[in-house]
Amino acid sequence: MAMLELAGVHVFYGHVHALKGIDLVVDEGEIVALLGANGAGKSTTLRAISGLVRPREGSIRFQGHDLLRLPAHQLPALGVAHAPEGRRVFGPLTVDENLTLGAYRQADRAAVEETRRWVFDLFPRLKERRHQLAGTMSGGEQQMLAIGRALMSRPRLLLLDEPSLGLAPLVVRQIFHTIREINRQGVTVLLVEQNARAALKLAHRAYVLETGTVAVAGPASDLLRDPRMQEAYLGGRAGRAG
């Protein structure tokens, strides 16, 4: 059974038909990339999974649970965490306080501290900055914190929305390396990413959305070589060597 399955999902924003019957499957242990142009429906797909928007039609199931029957705040207890686009850290709070908020449903304080140590192992910079106000950190550090905060609930499925947005290439490489390590340690990842080439090198499989529908899907390695992907998302033939 798939860990996550979307079937025939339609989402509207008023009269705007944002998702038009999306079908998507994520198996346990995978990194799956969700690619496409701005406005294609990528972030809406993640928001539908995490309960922030409600589909008008279709089904979303996570390990047998019907997510459409649950309020968003109950999903972390099931094992679903969402690191949203734009990071959205709590600027007036410290790194430690942001991480603690990510574990708000965890009653076992020893387990929370163990998870905090895990996050600091993944992101040593956060340990160095643990008493710093999040709002004074760089964009890359805030992205690390957004991911770390999501990990504090010990998710089985991590939804990542545009983790490379606005970051320098060196920082992007560091964050993508850490995403691979998070996955290696047992967390399944559904990744929305504008940097299609980097996402396809990281992911096992990928879906490409166009105006709210799945246009292309398949193994990431195949899509890297697909001429349609080359022309539309990977910078043309000249980008193949990158």
Side-chain angles (χ1 to χ4, degrees):
M1 183 176 63
M3 173 177 272
L4 175 73
E5 186 170 8
L6 281 66
V9 173
H10 291 259
V11 171
F12 288 78
Y13 295 113
H15 294 296
V16 177
H17 198 174
L19 294 183
K20 304 170 184 176
I22 291 290
D23 295 327
L24 183 150
V25 172
V26 179
D27 290 326
E28 186 168 0
E30 286 191 304
I31 300 175
V32 175
L34 197 54
L35 310 175
N38 288 333
K42 305 184 303 297
S43 293
T44 297
T45 300
L46 294 195
R47 290 170 61 83
I49 294 166
S50 61
L52 299 177
V53 297
R54 288 295 177 184
R56 188 175 296 182
E57 299 177 35
S59 66
I60 302 177
R61 302 190 69 84
F62 173 73
Q63 295 190 317
H65 297 277
D66 182 357
L67 296 190
L68 299 187
R69 294 181 177 271
L70 299 173
H73 70 271
Q74 290 185 10
L75 268 62
L78 287 181
V80 180
H82 187 171
E85 180 182 358
R87 301 182 273 276
R88 301 187 188 182
V89 298
F90 299 103
L93 302 183
T94 66
V95 167
D96 259 343
E97 290 167 336
N98 270 268
L99 293 177
T100 298
L101 285 174
Y104 75 98
R105 294 189 62 91
Q106 303 292 323
D108 185 339
R109 305 321 299 171
V112 169
E113 292 312 307
E114 180 182 352
T115 305
R116 194 189 309 268
R117 288 192 292 272
W118 176 51
V119 170
F120 286 156
D121 285 342
L122 290 167
F123 297 108
R125 185 70 60 84
L126 294 184
K127 185 174 184 179
E128 296 171 7
R129 303 284 195 269
R130 64 185 303 172
H131 301 301
Q132 185 171 334
L133 296 181
T136 67
M137 299 168 70
S138 70
E141 291 166 344
Q142 289 187 16
Q143 185 61 66
M144 295 173 192
L145 179 56
I147 297 172
R149 183 180 60 190
L151 292 175
M152 287 297 294
S153 65
R154 279 288 184 176
R156 301 195 65 187
L157 173 65
L158 177 62
L159 309 176
L160 288 177
D161 197 348
E162 300 285 10
S164 76
L165 188 65
L167 302 183
L170 178 60
V171 179
V172 172
R173 285 195 293 273
Q174 292 171 342
I175 287 177
F176 273 51
H177 173 80
T178 305
I179 293 170
R180 181 178 284 110
E181 178 61 22
I182 291 166
N183 176 250
R184 192 189 67 80
Q185 295 189 31
V187 181
T188 302
V189 178
L190 179 57
L191 168 70
V192 163
E193 180 55 54
Q194 283 285 343
N195 187 336
R197 181 173 296 278
L200 289 174
K201 289 181 178 179
L202 177 70
H204 301 100
R205 293 188 303 110
Y207 293 82
V208 180
L209 300 188
E210 291 182 2
T211 59
T213 62
V214 175
V216 183
S221 57
D222 290 352
L223 296 187
L224 268 172
R225 297 188 296 268
D226 189 322
R228 294 171 297 175
M229 292 294 295
Q230 291 289 337
E231 296 302 327
Y233 301 106
L234 302 175
R237 297 181 183 277
R240 294 190 182 188

